[in-house]
Amino acid sequence: MLADAELTEPERQLVLAASNGELVDLRAGDAHLDHPSQAGRWEAARTVRADLLTELLTGRRQSETGAVRAVKLAGARITGVLDLEAARLACPLLLDGCSVDEPINLMEAQAEAIRLPGSYVPGIAAGQLHTEGNLEFNNGFTASAGICLAGAHIGGRLDLDDARLNGAGSPALDADGLTVRLSMFCRHGFTAHGEVRLRTAQIGGQLNFIEASLTNPGGRVLAALGLTVGQDMFCHRLSVAEGEIRMTGARIGGQLDFSGASLTNPGGYAFAARGLTVGQDIDFTDGFTAEGQVQLRDARIGGRLDFEGASLANPGGQAVSLEGVTAAVLVLIPRTAPDGIVDLTNARVGSFYDDQASWPTTMRLRGFAYDKLENDATSVTDRLVWLGSSEGGYIPGLYEQLAGAYRRAGRIEAARRIGVAKELSRRTELTWPGKVWNSLLYATVGYGYRNWLAAVWLGALLVLGSLVFASAYPAHMHSAAPVVPSFQPVIYALDVMLPIVNLGQQQAWIPQGPALACSWLLTGTGWILTTAVVAGLTNALKRD
């Protein structure tokens, strides 16, 4: 313990002020000179030893008037090691705009509140730290070798607004297993060079990265696997110069806002959040930009998943992967067509908004399910082009899903056109006998969606047969018995064409020559048309 006689003048001031929790301000009043980066130019009278801080904070040294109420120091240079490992701090700590020579050790410490606004430190080791109140490293706070808060419990809020963290080859912020009872702020100038780790962290309020800057070339800028946020996570205008955001299995109770953010990780994942759960909306809007893949595979979203106005690029790979996503609404209207594949395999949404002008060249639509298409401006023909952009060749479910959406919207004719297009596309998968039969069904009954075509064919053949048989009588039409009904060419043609109905004409009159050939033609086409109509009416042609 330092002897009283050894204390310098600023140290004696600090001991006296600590009893009332008053601030000892050693700043000179020159904003440039008082900046902690200029600590090497400060006078010796601005120096305070870390050992004295330790004595005051742990209660080993008391002031002349009794217990220490708070240690508050501004503009000081702290020399020596501030080692508070496993200590129970007797009072709050404030170091405002101070320069700390050695890394601070707060491992397993217990404290009411710790605030280091604007201070410069080489690093902070605070794993398993417990605070009753706030932990504040903000307002220009700078750590040249990163901060460790792994397993820490913060009883108030964690404030890193406008902090600068440099991992120097290690994580800029290691907060795996962190618990914050209120909110965690990393806003407005927060800068991290190196990985920010929040794996399995639990934030009771909001997690805020508004206007933050992150970079970690070749690695992750934010590792938040298993993160839990009770309220919203804001990343509005977040800037990632290079690196990956990974939030696999994270749970966000409110909304997840990446509006206006810029994420850069060429050739890799810009944002990867497989199994993410979000209670409300996810916004990739207002000029959101991603260079690298945005992956939300198997995510569960209670509200909207919105890409309106976004720029999405991952040349040669997947620009957006929404495989297995569930959302109430999907808005896929980026600023321009994504440069890369958009994967909607097995995604399920209530309402789907898109725009033909921003359709990607290649999509994956197998199993994509939507209850309602909100873009009525796109024609059925263009929708078929959209289906054709999907990888995997002929996929019956794509057509059935689109036809179902049209039926639910009351657009029955559009649904029928999709059904016909489905069967036409199916033709490419058939052998040549199947293709022949497929072509006949298309021409005769429109695959069962246009059974009225059969009536047109029957009418045309009836006219043809009637003319042929009328011209053949009596030279090429002979009675089959001495007494027969009078010859009626129209009735005779119907009797020949309809395979089940017996009108008495075909049995009474025997054709010859051209009339015989015509009767064979009508009999054969009659069987084909009747079979096709029956199949269409029983819906046999509308199955896979």
Side-chain angles (χ1 to χ4, degrees), residues 92-297:
L93 170 64
L94 169 65
L95 299 178
D96 186 358
C98 295
S99 175
V100 183
D101 285 358
E102 301 292 337
I104 298 175
N105 187 355
L106 290 167
M107 295 290 291
E108 300 181 351
Q110 298 180 49
E112 294 181 25
I114 298 175
R115 299 178 175 88
L116 278 68
S119 293
Y120 271 40
V121 301
I124 297 178
Q128 303 296 326
L129 168 69
H130 282 64
T131 70
E132 295 294 326
N134 297 343
L135 180 62
E136 300 177 7
F137 303 141
N138 53 8
N139 297 343
F141 170 88
T142 300
S144 58
I147 298 175
C148 176
L149 290 172
H153 289 252
I154 310 303
R157 71 174 184 271
L158 175 57
D159 191 342
L160 291 158
D161 283 352
D162 194 30
R164 282 86 169 169
L165 310 182
N166 191 337
S170 298
L173 173 62
D174 182 357
D176 288 345
L178 170 72
T179 298
V180 179
R181 188 176 68 85
L182 299 179
S183 296
M184 177 174 175
F185 298 108
C186 302
R187 307 169 295 181
H188 309 315
F190 173 83
T191 302
H193 296 278
E195 185 174 11
V196 174
R197 291 182 178 173
L198 289 171
R199 294 177 295 196
T200 70
Q202 298 184 51
I203 313 299
Q206 64 174 258
L207 176 58
N208 199 318
F209 282 93
I210 290 178
E211 296 180 342
S213 297
L214 309 176
T215 183
N216 188 24
R220 296 173 180 171
V221 292
L222 175 60
L225 292 77
L227 168 72
T228 299
V229 178
Q231 298 178 8
D232 303 316
M233 180 171 175
F234 295 111
C235 299
H236 174 65
R237 299 185 67 180
L238 168 68
S239 174
V240 175
E242 187 174 354
E244 171 190 320
I245 294 177
R246 184 166 290 269
M247 294 179 61
T248 303
R251 300 179 65 88
I252 311 299
Q255 65 173 310
L256 177 57
D257 181 12
F258 274 89
S259 60
S262 176
L263 311 183
T264 304
N265 194 29
Y269 291 107
F271 179 79
R274 182 171 184 175
L276 172 71
T277 299
V278 176
Q280 298 178 12
D281 300 339
I282 299 182
D283 290 318
F284 295 109
T285 58
D286 296 338
F288 170 82
T289 301
E291 186 175 350
Q293 183 181 153
V294 174
Q295 196 235 57
L296 286 163
R297 186 174 180 181

Side-chain angles (χ1 to χ4, degrees), residues 221-416:
V221 292
L222 175 60
L225 292 77
L227 168 72
T228 299
V229 178
Q231 298 178 8
D232 303 316
M233 180 171 175
F234 295 111
C235 299
H236 174 65
R237 299 185 67 180
L238 168 68
S239 174
V240 175
E242 187 174 354
E244 171 190 320
I245 294 177
R246 184 166 290 269
M247 294 179 61
T248 303
R251 300 179 65 88
I252 311 299
Q255 65 173 310
L256 177 57
D257 181 12
F258 274 89
S259 60
S262 176
L263 311 183
T264 304
N265 194 29
Y269 291 107
F271 179 79
R274 182 171 184 175
L276 172 71
T277 299
V278 176
Q280 298 178 12
D281 300 339
I282 299 182
D283 290 318
F284 295 109
T285 58
D286 296 338
F288 170 82
T289 301
E291 186 175 350
Q293 183 181 153
V294 174
Q295 196 235 57
L296 286 163
R297 186 174 180 181
D298 298 326
R300 299 291 180 267
I301 302 153
R304 296 164 64 95
L305 174 54
D306 197 341
F307 288 92
E308 185 169 5
S311 293
L312 307 166
N314 189 26
Q318 292 188 44
V320 181
S321 175
L322 304 181
E323 181 178 354
V325 162
T326 299
V329 178
L330 173 59
V331 181
L332 193 56
I333 310 178
R335 189 184 318 163
T336 57
D339 186 357
I341 298 169
V342 173
D343 189 353
L344 294 171
T345 302
N346 295 326
R348 298 186 62 86
V349 301
S351 296
F352 177 50
Y353 294 79
D354 68 345
D355 185 352
Q356 185 178 352
S358 58
W359 286 349
T361 302
T362 304
M363 300 188 74
R364 293 175 182 166
L365 298 173
R366 183 186 294 272
F368 176 41
Y370 43 91
D371 295 330
K372 186 178 181 182
L373 277 173
E374 299 292 351
N375 181 6
D376 291 332
T378 301
S379 67
V380 174
T381 300
D382 289 332
R383 276 291 169 205
L384 290 171
V385 173
W386 177 67
L387 293 185
S389 69
S390 180
E391 290 184 338
Y394 170 68
I395 304 173
L398 301 187
Y399 297 89
E400 293 163 4
Q401 172 61 48
L402 181 56
Y406 280 138
R407 280 193 294 271
R408 286 187 291 273
R411 300 179 62 183
I412 304 304
E413 181 54 32
R416 288 173 179 165

Side-chain angles (χ1 to χ4, degrees), residues 22 50 82 92 140 255 286 288 343 377 415-416 456 460 486 504 507 541:
E22 296 177 354
L82 184 56
Q255 65 173 310
D286 296 338
F288 170 82
D343 189 353
R416 288 173 179 165
V456 174
S486 61
Q507 292 179 347
L541 298 177

Side-chain angles (χ1 to χ4, degrees), residues 413 416-417 420 442 444-454:
E413 181 54 32
R416 288 173 179 165
R417 289 183 60 187
V420 172
Y442 173 67
T444 55
V445 291
Y447 302 117
Y449 294 95
R450 299 172 181 171
N451 289 320
W452 54 266
L453 282 174

